[in-house]
Amino acid sequence: MQFAKRLEKIPPYLFAEINRKRDELVARGVDIINLGVGDPDKPTPTHIVQAMHEAIDDPSTHNYPPYQGTKDYLKAAAEWMERRFGVTDLNPATEVVSSVGSKEAIHNTFLAFVEPGDYTLIPDPGYPVYRTSTIFAGGEAYTMPLRREYGFLPDLDAIPQEVARKAKLLWINYPNNPTGAVATLEFFEELVAYCQHYDILLCHDHAYAEMAYDGYKPPSVLQVQGAKDVAIEFHSLSKSYNMTGWRVGFVVGNAQAIKGLSQVKTNIDSGVFKAIQRAAIAGFQTTDEQLQQIMSVYQKRRDIIVEGLKSLGWPMEAPKATLYIWAPVPQGYSCNDFVNLLLDKCGIIVPPGNGYGANGEGFFRIALTIADERMQEAIQRMRDAGIRYEG
Ligand SMILES: Cc1ncc(COP(=O)(O)O)c(C=O)c1O
């Protein structure tokens, strides 16, 4: 049996080599601390689980859902956008579509808009799906380096004009995985103007819209005047409400883009289980206090890691958002060398920065998804092994 050629072009899975080493160490009885995976460890809030119990007992939720999403779900998503971001003019019937988490919708957007030979503008480092889905669609990925000196924002002036003219999609993601960076509304304005100029669909992956600390509230790109002419935004309940396994989200914005995406989806998936859509509506009704409770868990862990790394010489600032700490590797190490050192000497798993793109070289990522004590222990193991940051 032969795989399709396109599968040969997909880069190796980021965690494959790390997992192989992990299995070896586990077999030798090593107690591994896994700081790799961005999968919340806490349960889904009770009010959402309760809504699911009630919904699943109602047989009318058991058959195929409407492709685009139930009317109630689309309306609730639009209302949430209004409450959360003050975006008031969304038509649930034409400007919102439900999605199976956000990964599916991200991928299908490439299928809807990218022809062989078209460019996509993607961040590097970045969520790996932007690159692999470009390959699946037969496009050419042009990477926009995210550099620390630019606050991990892309430099639009550095994109060659001939590339911009052939680009169909420009992807951004703030709060950002893996760097933890955030963007201002002013930066979103620049992006909207750029995409209007070059007729590019601006795709904002807002998976971490609610994962923010110290009172910070990440903006929506749709708050920019005229954004709906060129932009769509991907939302997911996965991270905000500890719902990664539920697979529910929505895409919102430009009606023509939503139409194209919906056309692909109608032919591929058959929507989100109606009971899950009802539970997600309860998710949209999460109060500020409930959300704060979820986020305070991560904020505390963020502080443990940031303070811990600082005590080992790392030059760190606490990120305002996301589930991640993006830290430089000490001088003299490649990111792969340093990640292997952490695994071999301390039994700690972290992904190397270059797993998110070539510009991630020199960094590693820590996910805040394990218990406080294990995070403290990770720092202690580094201290005991004599690992320090030398710049
Ligand atoms: C930046 C980003 N976008 C999208 C996703 C996909 O999440 P989901 O499909 O669970 O909504 C992730 C998951 O890690 C992510 O980090």
Side-chain angles (χ1 to χ4, degrees):
M1 190 186 297
Q2 257 194 330
F3 291 140
K5 291 252 181 317
R6 71 176 72 88
L7 272 197
E8 289 166 13
K9 296 185 189 156
I10 302 297
Y13 176 55
L14 170 58
F15 284 94
E17 175 59 15
I18 304 177
N19 287 352
R20 194 191 56 73
K21 279 199 118 187
R22 176 203 60 197
D23 293 346
E24 240 174 62
L25 291 170
V26 168
R28 294 209 322 254
V30 178
D31 172 26
I32 294 287
I33 300 181
N34 191 342
L35 295 171
V37 191
D39 191 359
D41 56 323
K42 296 285 184 187
T44 303
T46 320
H47 66 285
I48 299 175
V49 175
Q50 192 54 41
M52 181 69 182
H53 280 304
E54 285 161 24
I56 207 165
D57 277 342
D58 174 356
S60 77
T61 65
H62 296 178
N63 58 353
Y64 284 123
Y67 287 116
Q68 186 149 353
T70 64
K71 278 200 170 116
D72 288 347
Y73 180 74
L74 299 173
K75 183 165 167 280
E79 284 169 358
W80 180 81
M81 288 295 294
E82 177 166 357
R83 268 200 320 280
R84 171 65 179 80
F85 301 109
V87 176
T88 52
D89 57 346
L90 291 167
N91 180 345
T94 55
E95 294 173 336
V96 188
V97 61
S98 66
S99 58
V100 188
S102 56
K103 187 179 188 181
E104 162 272 306
I106 292 170
H107 173 74
N108 284 326
T109 301
F110 287 84
L111 296 191
F113 294 100
V114 178
E115 295 270 10
D118 285 344
Y119 277 107
T120 63
L121 304 174
I122 64 167
D124 178 337
Y127 182 51
V129 174
Y130 314 138
R131 184 181 296 279
T132 48
S133 294
T134 300
I135 297 170
F136 276 125
E140 293 285 328
Y142 180 87
T143 51
M144 304 181 291
L146 304 187
R147 301 217 162 86
R148 188 155 52 165
E149 51 280 24
Y150 287 108
F152 297 112
L153 300 174
D155 177 5
L156 300 180
D157 294 335
I159 303 168
Q161 281 194 10
E162 61 278 15
V163 171
R165 279 196 213 101
K166 285 204 271 173
K168 287 288 165 63
L169 306 177
L170 189 159
W171 286 84
I172 49 159
N173 158 231
Y174 294 99
N176 184 258
N177 174 18
T179 67
V182 297
T184 60
L185 207 48
E186 290 69 41
F187 185 66
F188 286 164
E189 279 165 9
E190 275 178 46
L191 283 161
V192 167
Y194 183 88
C195 289
Q196 279 169 336
H197 181 77
Y198 287 105
D199 190 21
I200 298 171
L201 177 61
L202 175 60
C203 299
H204 182 214
D205 175 356
H206 217 341
Y208 299 92
E210 297 289 46
M211 314 295 299
Y213 313 116
D214 308 324
Y216 172 67
K217 285 271 184 199
S220 160
V221 84
L222 296 173
Q223 286 171 245
V224 175
Q225 193 102 45
K228 253 191 346 186
D229 297 345
V230 287
I232 50 175
E233 193 162 79
F234 297 73
H235 286 271
S236 170
L237 283 85
S238 285
K239 315 278 175 162
S240 313
Y241 311 119
N242 302 331
M243 289 176 73
T244 45
W246 296 61
R247 314 310 302 139
V248 61
F250 65 94
V251 187
V252 60
N254 180 276
Q256 187 65 8
I258 296 294
K259 190 174 168 191
L261 171 59
S262 301
Q263 194 178 338
V264 175
K265 283 174 58 55
T266 301
N267 285 285
I268 292 182
D269 66 74
S270 293
V272 175
F273 182 22
K274 280 188 274 185
I276 292 182
Q277 294 189 53
R278 279 205 205 158
I281 294 173
F284 293 136
Q285 286 151 4
T286 302
T287 64
D288 285 351
E289 291 73 42
Q290 287 166 326
L291 189 63
Q292 186 51 37
Q293 240 173 22
I294 300 173
M295 296 314 145
S296 63
V297 171
Y298 300 118
Q299 184 167 323
K300 183 162 175 226
R301 293 174 182 173
R302 173 201 70 168
D303 294 343
I304 291 172
I305 292 293
V306 167
E307 290 311 313
L309 288 177
K310 273 183 173 171
S311 75
L312 298 174
W314 257 267
M316 295 297 299
E317 271 178 47
K320 279 199 194 135
T322 74
L323 284 177
Y324 310 112
I325 307 288
W326 185 241
V329 300
Q331 218 173 32
Y333 289 95
S334 70
C335 61
N336 285 325
D337 289 346
F338 187 67
V339 160
N340 283 330
L341 178 82
L342 284 180
L343 190 55
D344 294 338
K345 285 252 168 84
C346 310
I348 294 173
I349 294 181
V350 290
N354 63 6
Y356 299 90
N359 289 285
E361 180 52 64
F363 290 87
F364 64 104
R365 194 194 78 170
I366 292 176
L368 304 173
T369 45
I370 59 168
D372 302 4
E373 309 79 61
R374 295 293 277 171
M375 303 221 135
Q376 273 149 352
E377 187 176 336
I379 296 290
Q380 190 56 43
R381 286 189 192 181
M382 288 170 74
R383 180 168 290 119
D384 294 345
I387 293 174
R388 285 190 60 80
Y389 180 85
E390 315 288 349

